[in-house]
Amino acid sequence: MSDILQLCVVEVGGQGWAVDVHRVKHISRPTALRPLHHGPSWIEGVIERTGEVIPVVDLRRRLGAPLAPLGPKSRLVHVRVEGQEIALLVDRVVEVLQVPRRAVVPPPRWLAGEAAPFVLGLVESEENGVARHRFLVHLQAVLGTAPTASGDLP
Amino acid sequence: MASGADERQLRDAVDRALERFLFRAEEQGAVDAVAMAGAEDPVSELLLFELGNEAFALPLIDVRELLKPPTLTEVPRARRAVLGVTLLRGAVVPVFDLRGLLELRDVRPPSSAATRVVICEAPEGRFGLEVDRVVQVLRVATSTLEPPPPGLGREGHPVVVLGRHDGRLYGVIELGLLLRTGEL
């Protein structure tokens, strides 16, 4: 594995969350969803893109963040995970960031609260003298396909 | 102040987490379902109809008749999705609110000129499904009907495959599963 990680950082409920930039297929403005009745509750609906049916996950709802009304910066970030494309609704796309591998640490359980099952790691950095942290998103957990480990926070 | 062993454990934990975090091209190995047009491509005939803004379809082979909304006799103790019963050529046929059977969130609108009751036949017998508007009959290559994206299907839900027509998605209903949904 490479020593440098390239992260796409999004903001959800005021907190920075990152995915591997190589997973990002597309970024778009949110459009009307077709409701999906036969799916888990965290799938808000589906959209179509290039002829494919893409499930939409409201990452704010999934991560337990406050649901602000959609604004001009709201975006759908289309990511590839487990062989399929899903679209994540976020409050805004912040940046693409390069961090060294050693900047990733396991997250302290208390830090993420309700979102703890969706955090794979923590990236700490210091910018302009201010300590910042961003969570690495556990996309398989967002999709409900991660095996649950014992001792997970409820 | 982590000792060497602690440090190694920590890095191992991070490595395992990064294995899941990072994209690997192998993940894309799943082959997209592509309609393979063969010499013998089975065809499905479907009745396309609407409930509100959503489109659904039933296999035509299960459909017996299309009626304008008939006079219904209420059945107070029946399950909630039962609108009533009607007499159809001497037989008592229940008529259901299809929204109720599909557990859709929107409310049944008042009857309009387009409202229809689709009389279906299943092993359980004949029954009617009230729909807002019947659109048309479709003939589609069965191979073009796609299951819902992986991880999204819910066991036993009556919409088993999705089709596309005129740029819209529609859900194909399996009658056998339809009558088993909701309250008994």
Side-chain angles (χ1 to χ4, degrees):
Chain A
M1 281 194 258
S2 157
D3 274 342
I4 303 281
L5 303 180
Q6 292 181 312
L7 308 177
C8 173
V9 182
V10 298
E11 191 175 281
V12 177
Q15 168 64 42
W17 291 81
V19 296
D20 181 0
V21 74
H22 300 100
R23 289 193 184 275
V24 179
K25 258 183 116 153
H26 187 66
I27 297 182
S28 61
R29 284 173 207 262
T31 55
L33 302 187
R34 182 189 192 276
L36 191 75
H37 304 295
H38 47 284
S41 57
W42 61 83
I43 307 278
E44 299 294 316
V46 298
I47 58 172
E48 282 192 66
R49 191 175 90 77
T50 63
E52 297 300 311
V53 174
I54 312 288
V56 176
V57 176
D58 185 330
L59 209 51
R60 305 158 318 152
R61 192 194 299 270
R62 189 67 169 136
L63 300 176
L67 294 181
L70 297 190
K73 299 214 163 110
S74 304
R75 292 290 183 273
L76 285 179
V77 178
H78 297 238
V79 294
R80 281 178 259 241
V81 53
E82 308 227 307
Q84 66 171 12
E85 179 177 329
I86 60 170
L88 306 172
L89 179 62
V90 303
D91 293 327
R92 75 184 175 108
V93 175
V94 181
E95 60 193 334
V96 173
L97 191 63
Q98 295 204 5
V99 298
R101 220 177 148 73
R102 57 189 154 67
V104 180
V105 295
R109 286 231 155 149
W110 55 265
L111 188 58
E114 196 181 316
F118 306 109
V119 181
L120 262 184
L122 177 65
V123 174
E124 291 172 322
S125 61
E126 193 191 302
E127 283 145 47
N128 303 323
V130 177
R132 299 197 51 191
H133 67 270
R134 299 159 179 94
F135 294 132
L136 301 188
V137 182
H138 191 163
L139 283 173
Q140 293 84 353
V142 166
L143 275 194
T145 57
T148 49
S150 58
D152 272 0
L153 292 177
Chain B
M1 241 69 66
S3 72
D6 286 345
E7 183 64 33
R8 160 52 34 93
Q9 249 189 335
L10 190 138
R11 294 329 303 173
D12 283 348
V14 169
D15 283 349
R16 278 195 301 277
L18 288 179
E19 280 277 316
R20 314 221 63 195
F21 179 78
L22 294 172
F23 175 70
R24 286 183 311 281
E26 304 86 76
E27 275 187 41
Q28 283 302 112
V31 175
D32 296 353
V34 173
M36 310 284 241
E40 300 188 24
D41 210 6
V43 164
S44 295
E45 285 193 313
L46 305 172
L47 181 71
L48 185 67
F49 56 88
E50 286 172 356
L51 290 176
N53 287 329
E54 290 196 64
F56 295 92
L58 279 171
L60 201 59
I61 200 169
D62 295 329
V63 175
R64 291 288 167 276
E65 290 185 61
L66 280 185
L67 308 173
K68 294 202 195 197
T71 310
L72 295 179
T73 306
E74 287 189 4
V75 185
R77 287 217 186 81
R79 58 189 286 191
R80 209 180 339 205
V82 175
L83 295 173
V85 296
T86 188
L87 207 57
L88 195 60
R89 276 185 290 288
V92 172
V93 173
V95 176
F96 294 94
D97 173 8
L98 186 52
R99 279 179 169 81
L101 293 181
L102 293 175
E103 294 169 335
L104 301 188
R105 278 180 290 248
D106 58 327
V107 171
R108 176 179 171 238
S111 276
S112 80
T115 308
R116 293 291 181 272
V117 170
V118 180
I119 303 292
C120 307
E121 180 130 28
E124 290 86 344
R126 284 201 184 189
F127 56 94
L129 300 173
E130 186 187 86
V131 305
D132 294 347
R133 184 169 94 92
V134 172
V135 180
Q136 64 178 91
V137 171
L138 293 180
R139 297 189 83 233
V140 300
T142 311
S143 56
T144 62
L145 298 175
E146 30 187 291
L152 298 192
R154 204 170 70 200
E155 275 294 316
H157 193 279
V159 174
V160 294
V161 288
L162 300 178
R164 245 178 265 266
H165 175 71
D166 250 2
R168 292 173 79 185
L169 280 183
Y170 59 86
V172 182
I173 295 172
E174 182 168 312
L175 281 188
L177 295 176
L178 187 64
L179 296 179
R180 276 180 241 140
T181 60
E183 346 166 310
L184 286 170

